[in-house]
Amino acid sequence: MTSGSEAPNDYDSAEQLRRRIDTTKAHPARVYDVFLGGKDNYPVDREAAAAALAANPRGYLDVRHNRDFLRRAVNHIAGETGIRQFLDIGTGLPTQENVHQIAQRIVPDARVVYVDNDPVVLTHARALLTSGPEGRTDYIDADLHDPAAILRAAAGTLDLTEPVALVLVAVLHFVEDDEAYGIVKHLVDALPSGSHLVLSHLTSDLNAEQIAKVAKTYKDRGFSFVLREHAEVLRFVTDNGLEIVEPGLVPVHHWRPDDADDTLAAHADASPEFVEGLEDIDKIRYRSITDVTDADINVYAVVARKP
C-alpha cells in the first residue's frame, strides 16, 4: 500500500482471507492484541490471554512495556541515525503508535514495510496501515521462516542498498533455536552498513517462576515458545557482528525510559465502578504502566548497529 492506495491484485480476496482464518486456535498476534486492549481477536484468543494473565497477573506490563520500547527505539532511530527505512517483521495487529506513525512524525518521507502471516492482521493492515503523504507504507503477507521471500518482497518498497532498521520485536521467542539464529543472520547479511536491529525477547533470566507459568499456558495451546537467557539473546547481536547501542541488552523498561504512560486518554474518564465490573483481561487497558518494577518484567530489549 502506498499513501493509502492499493492495486487490485496486491492481496488475497476477502473470501480467500476468510478461509485462512482459524478461529479455533489462538494466534500470538491476536493474543497480543487482547493485552493491548484491541478488539480484533476471537474468544479463543481472549481465553489464551486470560490464562496467561491468571498465571502472571502483572504480565500485561511485559506486553505494554514491550510496545513502549518499540516507540522509544523508533524515535531514536528516526531522530538520531538518519535511517529512513524500516522493516517490521511480526508486526501484529495495527494498534496505537505503529512504526510508520512514529517514524513519519520525525521523518515524513520514511518508508516502512510490515510483515506478518496472519490473515486477520492482513485484513486490518490493508485498512489502517496507510502512510502520510510524503512517506510510503507497505504490507507483506509472509512468514518469518522464509527470510529470502521477505527480502525479495521488501525490495519493492525499500532500497536495500541504503540503511534499514530491522524490527524483530517480541517475535523470535516463537521460533526454535535451530531456525532463529539462521533467520536473523540471513536478514542482517542482506542489509548494508549503518543498518540497525531493534529486538526484544522473552527470557527465563528475569522472574523465572512467573514466566514459566505463562510459557506453559502458550505451549499448552500449541505455540512454539522459547525463553532465551541473556547470552542466547545476545547471540542475535554478536553472531552478526553488530555494535550494541547504549544502554545495551537490558530489561525492556530500562531501555532509555522516558516515564511516559501508554494508557489511552480516552480511558481516563472511566469510573472505578465501571472498571471494577469488567473481566480481569479487560481491566488491564485502564491501568497505568508507570508503576512497573523489576519484578514485573520478563523481556530483554536491545538496539544494535551494523558497522
Side-chain angles (χ1 to χ4, degrees), residues 71 75 78 97-108 110:
R71 174 185 62 82
N75 273 334
E97 293 292 87
N98 299 291
V99 169
H100 74 284
Q101 293 166 318
I102 303 166
Q104 290 176 1
R105 275 199 299 268
I106 300 170
V107 184

Side-chain angles (χ1 to χ4, degrees), residues 21-50 92-95 118-121 123-124 279 281-282 284-285:
I21 296 172
D22 185 350
T23 62
T24 68
K25 296 179 181 179
H27 188 283
R30 301 194 307 255
V31 174
Y32 195 73
D33 182 62
V34 175
F35 275 108
L36 292 174
K39 301 184 184 300
D40 302 313
N41 48 73
Y42 296 96
V44 67
D45 306 305
R46 284 179 56 83
E47 189 273 334
L93 282 148
T95 181
D118 177 48
V120 176
V121 175
T123 299
H124 289 277
E279 294 182 27
I281 196 63
D282 294 317
I284 61 177
R285 76 183 71 172

Side-chain angles (χ1 to χ4, degrees), residues 110-134:
R111 296 185 172 202
V112 179
V113 170
Y114 294 101
V115 182
D116 212 298
N117 68 336
D118 177 48
V120 176
V121 175
L122 175 59
T123 299
H124 289 277
R126 291 170 66 179
L128 298 176
L129 296 180
T130 55
S131 178
E134 297 176 59

Side-chain angles (χ1 to χ4, degrees), residues 270-286:
S271 70
E273 293 78 15
F274 170 77
V275 174
E276 188 57 33
L278 298 173
E279 294 182 27
D280 287 345
I281 196 63
D282 294 317
K283 290 177 183 177
I284 61 177
R285 76 183 71 172
Y286 298 94

Side-chain angles (χ1 to χ4, degrees), residues 32 66-67 69-70 88-90 167-172 198-200:
Y32 195 73
N66 178 76
R67 188 74 187 183
F69 158 68
L70 176 66
D88 182 1
I89 303 178
V167 179
L168 295 170
V169 167
V171 66
L172 290 171
V198 178
L199 183 149
S200 66

Side-chain angles (χ1 to χ4, degrees), residues 187-304:
L187 292 167
V188 171
D189 282 353
L191 303 180
S193 173
S195 294
H196 280 57
L197 172 66
V198 178
L199 183 149
S200 66
H201 199 296
L202 280 164
T203 180
S204 57
D205 285 351
L206 309 172
N207 311 304
E209 182 177 352
Q210 64 194 36
I211 195 59
K213 293 177 181 177
V214 172
K216 184 178 185 303
T217 70
Y218 287 123
K219 289 179 179 178
D220 287 349
R221 287 158 178 81
F223 294 176
S224 295
F225 209 77
V226 184
L227 298 172
R228 294 185 173 93
E229 300 176 352
H230 190 279
E232 295 170 315
V233 178
L234 192 62
R235 276 189 58 193
F236 291 115
V237 175
T238 57
D239 283 6
N240 294 295
L242 305 181
E243 301 171 343
I244 294 181
V245 172
E246 289 295 330
L249 177 63
V250 296
V252 68
H253 61 309
H254 289 314
W255 199 92
R256 304 193 180 190
D258 59 11
D259 298 319
D261 187 356
D262 75 340
T263 305
L264 297 180
H267 295 157
D269 295 333
S271 70
E273 293 78 15
F274 170 77
V275 174
E276 188 57 33
L278 298 173
E279 294 182 27
D280 287 345
I281 196 63
D282 294 317
K283 290 177 183 177
I284 61 177
R285 76 183 71 172
Y286 298 94
R287 293 177 179 162
S288 172
I289 64 170
T290 58
D291 64 344
V292 65
T293 71
D294 289 350
D296 295 318
I297 295 298
N298 305 95
V299 182
Y300 282 130
V302 68
V303 175

